[in-house]
Amino acid sequence: MVDERTGRAVGLELRRVLQAGREMQAALARRLGVRVTDVQAMDHVAATDEPVGTVELGDRLGMRSASAAALVGRLIEAGHVVREPHPADRRRVVLTPTVHGRAEVRDQLAPMLDELTAVISRLDDSEAATVLWFLQQAGAVMRSYAALDTDEADRGD
C-alpha cells in the first residue's frame, strides 16, 4: 500500500500529465492552423472503436448540434475528415479521418511520439506492466466519471 505522501505526489503528477495533454493539444492546433476543439474532435474520430457521427461527436465534446455541425464542416473543408455511410445503418452518416488528416497530425506529433517511445523503452517489463495497469485504471475512473454526467443528462437530472 502506498503512503499518503507518495499517493498525493502520484495524483499531482497525473494532474500535470493531463494539463500537459491540454497544452499539447493547443500546440498541435496552432501547428495545424485549427482550433483546439477541432484537434479534440479529430482525436475522438480517429481513436474511437465505434463509428462517430456529428451528434455523438458533439455530445462527447459537450457542444450543441449546430456547433458540432460547424466544427465538422471546418474539418471537412480542411481535409481532415469525410462523411461516409454508417457501416451497419446506411441511413446514418459517420465521420472518418482522411489519409491526409492522419498524416498531417502524425507529422506534427512525430518528434513528441519519438521522445515518448524512448522513455517507454527505458522501462523494464515490470515497470511497464505497472505503468500500463495504472493508466488503464486511471482511464477507467475518468471514463466512469464522464459517464455519470451522461447518465444524469439522460435522466434529466
Side-chain angles (χ1 to χ4, degrees):
M1 193 67 148
V2 69
D3 66 86
E4 185 177 335
R5 181 177 168 172
T6 302
R8 281 196 311 269
V10 170
L12 178 59
E13 203 56 40
L14 179 58
R15 287 177 50 203
R16 289 178 177 153
V17 167
L18 293 170
Q19 180 62 40
R22 289 187 293 273
E23 293 167 3
M24 181 273 306
Q25 286 182 333
L28 179 60
R30 285 189 301 276
R31 291 173 184 170
L32 295 174
V34 300
R35 300 174 186 184
V36 173
T37 52
D38 296 1
V39 167
Q40 293 168 342
M42 290 164 36
D43 187 42
H44 278 286
V45 171
T48 187
D49 292 332
E50 298 178 17
V52 176
T54 302
V55 172
E56 294 93 354
L57 183 60
D59 288 345
R60 290 180 185 192
L61 295 172
M63 49 177 43
R64 298 186 187 276
S65 60
S67 297
L71 180 150
V72 168
R74 287 193 308 271
L75 294 178
I76 290 171
E77 188 174 318
H80 293 295
V81 301
V82 294
R83 287 186 182 103
E84 296 182 339
H86 189 285
D89 182 354
R90 296 292 183 186
R91 297 170 295 171
R92 295 185 56 214
V93 174
V94 296
L95 304 168
T96 305
T98 63
V99 172
H100 162 78
R102 285 184 186 273
E104 193 173 5
V105 170
R106 188 174 36 254
D107 290 347
Q108 292 298 326
L109 292 178
M112 181 194 68
L113 295 175
D114 290 345
E115 287 187 47
L116 286 173
T117 298
V119 170
I120 294 166
S121 73
R122 291 193 294 269
L123 298 173
D124 66 31
D125 288 344
S126 175
E127 291 168 331
T130 300
V131 170
L132 178 60
W133 177 86
F134 174 76
L135 292 173
Q136 289 169 335
Q137 297 303 306
V141 168
M142 290 176 194
R143 283 186 294 279
S144 177
Y145 176 82
L148 288 175
D149 185 54
T150 304
D151 293 343
E152 289 173 6
D154 290 345
R155 288 192 315 264
D157 290 349

